[in-house]
Amino acid sequence: MKQKILQSGPISPALDGRLAETWDVVRLWADPTPAEALADIRAVVTSPGAGCDAALMDRLPKLGAIVNFGVGYDKVDVAAARARGVVVSNTPGVLDECVADLGMALILDVLRGTVAGDRFVRAGSWTSGPFPPATRVWGKRLGIVGLGRIGSALARRAEAFRMSIAYHNRSPVEGIPYPRHASVADLAAWADVLVLTLPGGAATRHIVSSDELEALGPNGFLVNIARGSVVDTAALIAALRHGRIGGAALDVFENEPHVPDELKSFDNVVLLPHLGSATRETRRAMEDLTFDNAATWFAEGRLITPV
Ligand code: NAP
């Protein structure tokens, strides 16, 4: 008899199909889920939007593993899992380069105005006069909040654009040439571009708020490719409204997929629908690692990439 797993939210048809070929899959959002349907669940596979909280774990008496699709596991209550002896995995390493590519694309876009320029051409405005000059990228100061796997991949790209780099993490990173600033506000005051590549969750909620935006200043740009929760959206909108920062590029939002209308009204803001890892190649690698974590846990009682 097939082992039972629970999907906590929709995932790609390809991974969904592979899971269903191998295990008896209960889909939390689609299947009726009375207690009997959940009693034999041994593993949860999460979707990017739906994690696994303590209340869900309480409904799964035989749960042993939570296999998270994605590197960010802020929607999985890891402490609650540990307290129950439940192990958790994510998908580190396979998406760094694509997320860093997107970060660089956003830096280029928000400083140079490529998407705004495209809007300008499509609106027929070019015939009435030139598009105004934008901001230089090369030689600017890039402050990275969260110099981990993705932040480091972004730093390598920014070096090729001859940007100077500094960072803020809780702990210094050994063996790198970039200076560390003691706080996000210190880094923001130094930086022309502040890019966020740290984890989401309660510990980092609104780590960028009014003070940090004030420190970034009217010629500074914010780029968020981390999680929406790390930025205080109300403070960001206020800073943009009053010209207290130069612009923002956002791949992630506090209440995805809902984006505040006022953010859409600013021409110096670039908005993307959480595209960081969204290439066919990287999504395939994430699907493979998610599947392999689940398969290895059932076969050997261990995860390939535990958190
Ligand atoms: P990682 O290698 O673990 O790096 C995270 C970095 O953040 C570490 O250097 C860590 O250093 C730092 N950090 C953690 N807490 C911090 C805090 N409170 N203040 C300052 N720095 C802090 O993770 P990663 O693989 O690069 O991924 C980073 C995040 O990117 C993920 O958690 C995910 O949310 C996000 N992400 C977004 C997309 C997207 O589609 N936009 C795709 C993938 C990932 P210390 O521990 O020393 O502080």
Side-chain angles (χ1 to χ4, degrees):
M1 210 176 69
K2 281 179 174 177
Q3 300 272 13
K4 259 181 143 176
I5 67 166
L6 178 73
Q7 277 178 224
S8 63
I11 46 175
S12 71
L15 180 57
D16 190 291
R18 287 177 75 189
L19 295 176
E21 273 170 21
T22 315
W23 296 288
D24 182 3
V25 175
V26 176
R27 295 174 181 84
L28 188 62
W29 72 101
D31 295 339
T33 50
E36 315 83 78
L38 302 179
D40 296 326
I41 297 288
R42 297 201 45 222
V44 169
V45 174
T46 71
S47 74
C52 187
D53 60 14
L56 179 55
M57 292 177 213
D58 284 342
R59 297 167 66 197
L60 308 171
K62 293 202 180 144
L63 183 66
I66 299 168
V67 177
N68 186 62
F69 180 86
V71 69
Y73 50 88
D74 43 297
K75 293 215 163 132
V76 176
D77 189 335
V78 176
R82 290 219 166 101
R84 290 163 175 75
V86 173
V87 291
V88 180
S89 66
N90 64 345
T91 63
V94 296
L95 44 70
D96 309 344
E97 305 295 335
C98 271
V99 181
D101 282 348
L102 193 88
M104 203 64 225
L106 285 176
I107 293 169
L108 289 165
D109 190 357
V110 73
L111 269 70
R112 295 296 309 270
T114 50
V115 166
D118 178 88
R119 281 196 296 271
F120 183 82
V121 172
R122 285 171 198 268
S125 308
W126 197 9
T127 50
S128 309
F131 190 71
T135 302
R136 200 176 76 185
V137 172
W138 76 267
K140 295 290 182 191
R141 290 186 293 228
L142 178 66
I144 301 177
V145 184
L147 190 75
R149 288 174 292 253
I150 294 169
S152 302
L154 181 66
R156 290 194 292 276
R157 283 155 178 74
E159 281 194 17
F161 282 84
R162 299 169 60 197
M163 301 182 87
S164 10
I165 296 160
Y167 74 101
H168 167 70
N169 280 9
R170 290 166 303 178
S171 319
V173 181
E174 301 302 328
I176 56 164
Y178 318 130
R180 172 175 173 269
H181 288 246
S183 71
V184 178
D186 278 359
L187 183 65
W190 171 85
D192 300 305
V193 184
L194 188 72
V195 65
L196 311 178
T197 51
L198 75 170
T204 58
R205 184 171 182 276
H206 291 186
I207 202 165
V208 172
S209 191
S210 319
D211 289 351
E212 292 72 24
L213 296 168
E214 197 76 39
L216 189 56
N219 297 318
F221 295 84
L222 178 73
V223 176
N224 188 5
I225 54 170
R227 283 289 182 265
S229 61
V230 303
V231 174
D232 178 347
T233 308
L236 175 62
I237 289 173
L240 287 162
R241 194 187 298 141
H242 299 294
R244 289 200 291 268
I245 65 168
L250 311 170
D251 184 42
V252 286
F253 301 88
E254 288 205 78
N255 185 26
E256 294 176 11
H258 305 287
V259 176
D261 283 339
E262 198 171 352
L263 274 181
K264 298 178 198 162
S265 72
F266 299 116
D267 216 36
N268 56 346
V269 172
V270 182
L271 305 167
L272 292 183
H274 202 144
L275 295 184
S277 65
T279 63
R280 285 186 297 279
E281 298 87 343
T282 287
R283 284 291 163 83
R284 179 64 204 260
M286 292 165 65
E287 288 164 7
D288 287 347
L289 186 50
T290 303
F291 182 88
D292 291 348
N293 264 306
T296 305
W297 185 76
F298 276 111
E300 301 172 24
R302 71 179 176 91
L303 294 163
I304 301 170
T305 47
V307 303

